Amino acid sequence: MSSSEEKKKKKKDKKKEQEQEEVTEESKKKYLFDRYGFLLPPEEEIDEKKEQKKRKKEIESIDLWREMIDNWKKFSKNNKLLKKRIYAGIPDRYRGIAWRLITGSDLLQKAKEGEVEYGDLHISNENPESESVIVKDINRTFPDHENYKSGDEQKRLYRVLKAWSIYDQEVGYCQGMAFIAGLLLFYMEEQEAFWTFVVLMKDFHMSALFREGFPLLQQQLFQWDKVLKKYATKLYKHFQNENIMPSMYASSWFLTIFARVLPFPLVLRIWDIYLYEGMIFIFRISLAILKVNQKKLLSLPFEEIVLYFKDIETKIGDWEKLLKSAGSFNISYKLIEKWADEWCLQNQK
Amino acid sequence: MENFKICFMGDQSVGKTSIINRFIYDDFNINSQSTVGVDFLSKTIFVENESVRLHLWDTAGQERFRCLIPSYVRNSSLVVIVFDITNKTSFKSIEFWMDTVQNERGDDVIVFLVGNKTDLEDERQVSLEKLEKEANKNGFLYLETSAKTGHNVKQLFRKIGISILKQNKKRKELIKPELDENTSLMNISLNIDPNKLKQKEESGCC
């Protein structure tokens, strides 16, 4: 290489280096994550004061929750206190263990020890059909999250879903499930997440949500329409006039328990309560979301309503207020059950 | 302005959502989330001096979601079946998605076959000739696109607009003469056999 060529090369290298530096600076500026590891939009900075206040509150509740978790048997019987504390939000540090205790997945995991090996499930080749669907969904689950950009986390998610598709081959994997397992994996070890997933599918009947034909989803959409008719009659009528069907906006609400729909910190709070109260709370929070937006929705025609729902995460206002009002809606258990029976009767023929 | 409903279907991860996003926002997001259930977007386009409002229904691609699709196909002016040119299986699935359309509508709907991901030419598994053959056999429209680079996406929606307008004019002309002969709208709607309609509603898994 001649000296002039060498110079040129050096110049080029230097330029490259500079460019690279600029790129890293740029990416530092661009990529901010919130405390849960979600990518923040460039203009949105963390409100430090608000965050500090939240942290202070959380530190206080950490002591309370530590005591509860250490004495779960005793506290789990005190429904009033438990409910109050769950509604106030489970501290992040104890969320994983609390979710396992509330759902009873810790007991199931123990009970299945020696009978079903998680490690055998996720390496099995018995359900190749589900497997190819899972693989295509892995990097499309919480794509804005720091964790799920990495291969290791994606592998964990893959293994839990794969294990489920072997554990229950009849239901197998269905799109939407990845958001549920992904959410659990934020707070649990792989095996714990798997057994909690199993409890959700079995005891919380979520497998009927995802089963061929989506029988439970159909039923819940029917029930939801009745809830709307009874508790938000004006909106119900407006939606009827505009041909808005619940399936157009609420399918992903119910299939992922809002995991794919609302801002992550709010999703966690909803899950805290959902795991304790069950589906009735999802009807309540859905109603609260509609009530907050009732005035606006009543003024919109078909097309704008559907688009409005698409963007619902930006339209829920103060989360605490929303959760509070959801808790205060007195949707009747009896009616919910009656509507379920009605649906079953209609569809038995 | 008239609205027209368009339903997108096709295998998982072929790029249905990405094509729609490219068209609406002129943007491509490599990290798009998988669609759960159905999604909706709309846009007005101008073709042949007319503005047309398109309502786009985007559906989840996993086979299991197929049973949720009929109610969206029912009133669609046009159906877009998307496949991935780097994935033979997604091309073979066209038949499967066609069944869903034909069960609901017979041949009474325009179908557009779209081969997406032309940016991945090196990995191509389905040739343009094959697509052409499949489309011509069934009387479908066809095009290859890349949601990633934007290749042919505008063209796709222009063609969609043109064929919808054409069909709409045809339909209006068909109805007109009957009205002229003092036939009321009532009689036209009665031409549909109510028993047949009922059967249709009851069939299918949902």
Side-chain angles (χ1 to χ4, degrees):
Chain A
M1 206 184 284
S2 72
S3 68
S4 71
E5 269 179 345
E6 237 169 82
K7 262 186 197 166
K8 255 189 202 165
K9 194 179 173 276
K10 266 187 187 164
K11 218 176 169 184
K12 223 179 172 181
D13 284 348
K14 209 175 172 191
K15 206 179 162 199
K16 229 181 184 175
E17 255 170 46
Q18 267 177 348
E19 270 173 10
Q20 265 170 359
E21 260 170 42
E22 272 164 29
V23 169
T24 32
E25 271 304 304
E26 180 67 6
S27 54
K28 260 188 217 156
K29 254 188 272 164
K30 254 189 178 161
Y31 298 113
L32 277 173
F33 296 95
D34 66 11
R35 60 181 293 201
Y36 297 100
F38 275 94
L39 208 56
L40 285 168
E43 71 276 14
E44 201 170 312
E45 300 231 349
I46 300 162
D47 183 344
E48 269 305 321
K49 258 191 187 166
K50 239 186 179 172
E51 282 292 306
Q52 267 179 6
K53 213 173 150 189
K54 252 193 229 159
R55 277 195 198 126
K56 205 184 146 203
K57 214 176 138 195
E58 200 170 308
I59 288 166
E60 286 166 9
S61 76
I62 280 175
D63 290 336
L64 298 173
W65 273 91
R66 185 185 302 125
E67 196 198 347
M68 290 214 302
I69 281 165
D70 288 345
N71 305 286
W72 186 251
K73 257 194 181 154
K74 185 181 122 199
F75 278 100
S76 63
K77 284 176 197 137
N78 188 344
N79 280 327
K80 215 176 152 191
L81 180 77
L82 192 60
K83 188 175 170 180
K84 191 183 139 204
R85 290 193 180 160
I86 286 174
Y87 267 83
I90 302 171
D92 240 7
R93 178 185 307 186
Y94 291 122
R95 193 162 259 132
I97 176 75
W99 284 4
R100 291 172 60 222
L101 290 168
I102 295 168
T103 58
S105 77
D106 59 321
L107 298 176
L108 180 71
Q109 188 173 348
K110 258 185 218 148
K112 294 280 184 180
E113 229 167 69
E115 185 194 325
V116 183
E117 285 299 330
Y118 172 75
D120 293 341
L121 290 173
H122 70 70
I123 55 166
S124 159
N125 292 322
E126 280 172 53
N127 194 349
E129 222 171 88
S130 263
E131 177 154 1
S132 76
V133 188
I134 295 171
V135 170
K136 282 185 195 145
D137 263 5
I138 292 298
N139 61 0
R140 304 195 298 159
T141 308
F142 296 118
D144 285 337
H145 194 276
E146 199 186 0
N147 275 4
Y148 286 108
K149 290 192 190 306
S150 90
D152 284 350
E153 283 305 312
Q154 292 190 355
K155 273 181 203 147
R156 270 169 24 108
L157 178 60
Y158 165 78
R159 286 193 295 260
V160 170
L161 293 170
K162 171 78 190 296
W164 162 257
S165 74
I166 302 297
Y167 185 80
D168 189 329
Q169 297 194 23
E170 196 206 328
V171 175
Y173 174 74
C174 177
Q175 290 193 293
M177 285 181 177
F179 290 92
I180 295 169
L183 186 69
L184 298 176
L185 279 168
F186 282 119
Y187 290 98
M188 294 175 199
E189 292 299 322
E190 240 178 278
Q191 288 212 29
E192 297 168 354
F194 170 72
W195 287 110
T196 310
F197 190 85
V198 171
V199 169
L200 288 174
M201 291 299 144
K202 301 285 181 187
D203 299 351
F204 284 64
H205 308 294
M206 285 184 101
S207 63
L209 266 180
F210 290 106
R211 185 187 294 280
E212 190 75 52
F214 303 93
L216 186 60
L217 176 66
Q218 304 285 341
Q219 180 198 306
Q220 287 175 354
L221 291 170
F222 175 83
Q223 288 170 301
W224 167 244
D225 209 34
K226 298 280 186 192
V227 169
L228 214 54
K229 189 175 177 182
K230 181 159 176 62
Y231 298 98
T233 314
K234 262 192 199 168
L235 264 177
Y236 171 81
K237 280 187 183 152
H238 181 58
F239 284 2
Q240 286 255 309
N241 288 337
E242 293 297 323
N243 285 321
I244 297 283
M245 296 182 290
S247 67
M248 290 174 178
Y249 60 93
S251 297
S252 63
W253 294 10
F254 297 164
L255 280 175
T256 68
I257 312 291
F258 288 106
R260 192 187 174 280
V261 183
L262 294 177
F264 194 66
L266 176 59
V267 168
L268 296 173
R269 296 287 298 278
I270 291 175
W271 272 72
D272 289 347
I273 308 172
Y274 164 67
L275 295 179
Y276 179 70
E277 303 247 53
M279 190 59 199
I280 187 100
F281 180 71
I282 300 309
F283 289 135
R284 286 198 196 119
I285 192 85
S286 305
L287 191 59
I289 291 170
L290 289 204
K291 289 272 186 183
V292 171
N293 294 288
Q294 170 153 315
K295 213 173 150 193
K296 184 76 195 165
L297 284 168
L298 282 172
S299 72
L300 298 177
F302 169 84
E303 189 182 325
E304 283 167 57
I305 296 172
V306 195
L307 291 172
Y308 195 87
F309 277 124
K310 220 179 129 59
D311 240 358
I312 200 73
E313 59 180 284
T314 61
K315 300 185 167 81
I316 35 178
D318 184 336
W319 303 345
E320 294 299 335
K321 267 192 202 157
L322 187 81
L323 288 165
K324 219 174 173 182
S325 77
S328 71
F329 287 136
N330 226 341
I331 298 179
S332 146
Y333 276 102
K334 263 193 187 159
L335 279 175
I336 292 286
E337 265 170 37
K338 193 190 125 199
W339 292 326
D341 292 343
E342 216 174 284
W343 171 259
C344 291
L345 262 173
Q346 273 183 29
N347 289 277
Q348 253 167 18
K349 288 171 222 162
Chain B
M1 196 190 334
E2 265 185 279
N3 293 329
F4 296 96
K5 207 166 149 185
I6 294 158
C7 186
F8 278 72
M9 50 179 87
D11 279 9
Q12 184 197 7
S13 178
V14 294
K16 300 176 288 295
T17 307
S18 294
I19 290 175
I20 294 175
N21 282 341
R22 167 61 75 188
F23 169 58
I24 306 268
Y25 306 112
D26 195 17
D27 195 10
F28 178 78
N29 184 359
I30 196 126
N31 295 323
S32 94
Q33 286 199 95
S34 51
T35 306
V36 177
V38 286
D39 223 332
F40 176 84
L41 274 168
S42 60
K43 190 170 176 167
T44 303
I45 55 168
F46 300 94
V47 277
E48 298 180 337
N49 298 323
E50 276 188 65
S51 22
V52 183
R53 188 81 179 152
L54 302 180
H55 284 184
L56 309 174
W57 290 96
D58 183 14
T59 63
Q62 190 182 356
E63 192 179 318
R64 195 172 299 184
F65 282 91
R66 172 180 169 170
C67 71
L68 299 179
I69 292 178
S71 59
Y72 296 90
V73 173
R74 203 162 295 151
N75 307 309
S76 287
S77 305
L78 187 146
V79 168
V80 182
I81 301 177
V82 185
F83 70 95
D84 171 357
I85 64 154
T86 71
N87 179 343
K88 250 192 239 160
T89 318
S90 72
F91 182 72
K92 282 191 192 131
S93 296
I94 290 176
E95 209 174 316
F96 167 85
W97 295 108
M98 265 323 296
D99 280 349
T100 312
V101 177
Q102 277 169 342
N103 278 340
E104 197 55 45
R105 299 288 297 270
D107 291 324
D108 171 44
V109 65
I110 314 170
V111 177
F112 218 124
L113 294 187
V114 174
N116 190 37
K117 307 196 186 177
T118 54
D119 50 288
L120 301 175
E121 191 56 51
D122 296 349
E123 296 163 43
R124 184 190 276 277
Q125 290 184 355
V126 183
S127 66
L128 180 59
E129 288 73 39
K130 255 191 173 166
L131 167 59
E132 202 177 332
K133 212 172 143 195
E134 179 72 20
N136 290 338
K137 190 175 85 190
N138 298 290
F140 300 156
L141 299 162
Y142 68 94
L143 201 64
E144 283 191 337
T145 60
S146 163
K148 193 171 180 181
T149 64
H151 172 239
N152 265 350
V153 173
K154 267 188 195 154
Q155 183 76 352
L156 168 67
F157 284 94
R158 225 183 84 80
K159 285 193 170 178
I160 287 176
I162 291 171
S163 48
I164 284 177
L165 279 178
K166 213 161 133 196
Q167 180 184 263
N168 197 39
K169 271 176 202 144
K170 242 194 224 163
R171 205 161 265 167
K172 278 181 182 160
E173 278 161 17
L174 271 177
I175 293 176
K176 243 191 198 160
E178 286 193 54
L179 280 174
D180 289 345
E181 288 160 22
N182 283 334
T183 331
S184 69
L185 271 172
M186 194 69 163
N187 284 339
I188 295 176
S189 54
L190 280 179
N191 282 340
I192 305 162
D193 180 358
N195 288 327
K196 239 182 182 173
L197 262 182
K198 214 174 166 216
Q199 260 177 6
K200 256 186 188 172
E201 271 165 22
E202 280 166 5
S203 67
C205 53
C206 320

